Amino acid sequence: MASEEVIYTIAYMLICLCLVVPPNEFRSAGLTIQNIFSEWLGSENLDFVRYHIKRSTATILFHSILPLGYFLGYCFCLSNYDIILQPWKLPFTWQIATVISVILPIVASLLYFYWSRNDWKTHPIAVRVGHHGDSWQSIAAQIDVEFRRIDKFQTGPPGRRVIVTDSWVLQTSAYTLDIAQQEDVHLNTLESQNFNYTDESPVGVQFISLKVLSVNQNISPFVIRINATEYSDFKAKLRTPIINVRNVIIQETLTERFSEAFREQVISNGVYRLTAGSEVSIYVKLFEDIITVY
């Protein structure tokens, strides 16, 4: 029985992980929040802000029922109905976990009803948008218009995209939408991360982390990640310069990545001392490349 519980728990956790962070196979099959609730969410291209208000709410509702789904599945898959019929006979930790699993969807449902009143006026995203003007609907309409333009900059995985329009810097995430007006922001380079291999590129990739700071005190700072190969396009769309006080090395091309890797390899190599009378033949081109790297 214990082995069956372990197998069920591992299987359910894997399913939940794939639902929370859908791999490409799940996206291809349409097993995402956006596809499941597509009719209710509407069109992102036509109503960007309202779409993400609904999407974040649907995500919270969906994720809140996952713990309860574990216990219901445990009852029916393992034929253990004490969780439903006699929960007071369960171990104390199970009682606490069961109560929490029931409370979570109730709280999420109450939040949905509270946020959806008065045209989503109290939703955190609507409140954040409203800090940029008199009403969140008017600012949302401006963002919607700019998002529909084809000259916007857009990058990142589906669950966490960075979008730069003529007037706004936006970042989507599972539960929220980060928003900052370009004329109010300062961008600081934080760090770079290099990966030798990713599912997007077999030759490695570098990501640049930047902190977006707004002079609007109601807008909290947030961090965005940009692929180094898209850094030039990202910078071209901005109206404000990017401050690189930490002197982060940005490898915007494959040549620059090779040069950096070659330089690190040269530094890591030991010093070779020639014996007396040794002759060394060095190609002039290679010698020039080494000088260029340094």
Side-chain angles (χ1 to χ4, degrees), residues 108-163:
S109 299
L110 292 175
L111 285 174
Y112 163 73
F113 287 114
Y114 173 69
W115 287 338
S116 61
R117 297 172 56 197
N118 299 320
D119 194 25
W120 301 97
K121 182 180 179 180
T122 54
H123 193 281
I125 294 179
V127 172
R128 189 176 292 113
V129 172
H131 288 320
H132 293 93
D134 296 330
S135 67
W136 80 267
Q137 290 92 340
S138 61
I139 302 300
Q142 298 176 24
I143 297 174
D144 295 341
V145 170
E146 293 192 10
F147 181 78
R148 286 194 290 269
R149 296 173 183 168
I150 61 174
D151 62 342
K152 63 180 177 292
F153 172 84
Q154 187 172 209
T155 186
R160 197 172 188 84
R161 289 181 298 156
V162 175
I163 303 162

Side-chain angles (χ1 to χ4, degrees), residues 136-291:
W136 80 267
Q137 290 92 340
S138 61
I139 302 300
Q142 298 176 24
I143 297 174
D144 295 341
V145 170
E146 293 192 10
F147 181 78
R148 286 194 290 269
R149 296 173 183 168
I150 61 174
D151 62 342
K152 63 180 177 292
F153 172 84
Q154 187 172 209
T155 186
R160 197 172 188 84
R161 289 181 298 156
V162 175
I163 303 162
V164 182
T165 67
D166 294 335
S167 305
W168 303 92
V169 179
L170 312 166
Q171 179 174 239
T172 66
S173 60
Y175 304 119
T176 188
L177 174 68
D178 294 315
I179 303 172
Q181 199 162 13
Q182 281 216 43
E183 61 185 19
D184 296 337
V185 302
H186 302 284
L187 283 87
N188 298 330
T189 305
L190 296 179
E191 63 178 357
S192 65
Q193 293 180 306
N194 296 285
F195 299 92
N196 295 328
Y197 178 83
T198 66
D199 57 352
E200 300 176 356
S201 173
V203 297
V205 67
Q206 182 190 49
F207 287 101
I208 310 300
S209 297
L210 303 106
K211 189 172 186 178
V212 181
L213 299 165
S214 176
V215 297
N216 188 334
Q217 297 181 353
N218 295 314
I219 304 302
S220 300
F222 57 94
V223 177
I224 60 177
R225 294 181 71 203
I226 303 294
N227 191 321
T229 58
E230 300 174 313
Y231 183 77
S232 296
D233 295 334
F234 169 74
K235 188 167 57 175
K237 192 62 179 176
L238 293 173
R239 295 182 180 179
T240 181
I242 299 175
I243 303 173
N244 189 4
V245 294
R246 302 188 182 186
N247 295 322
V248 176
I249 298 175
I250 301 174
Q251 304 162 10
E252 299 182 35
T253 64
L254 182 61
T255 303
E256 292 176 347
R257 292 206 301 270
F258 169 77
S259 298
E260 178 64 20
F262 185 79
R263 185 184 69 86
E264 293 177 355
Q265 183 62 46
V266 170
I267 294 174
S268 64
N269 289 340
V271 178
Y272 179 77
R273 300 187 183 279
L274 298 176
T275 59
S278 299
E279 294 183 2
V280 180
S281 176
I282 302 176
Y283 289 101
V284 176
K285 178 60 178 174
L286 178 58
F287 183 74
E288 291 176 350
D289 288 345
I290 294 175
I291 294 177

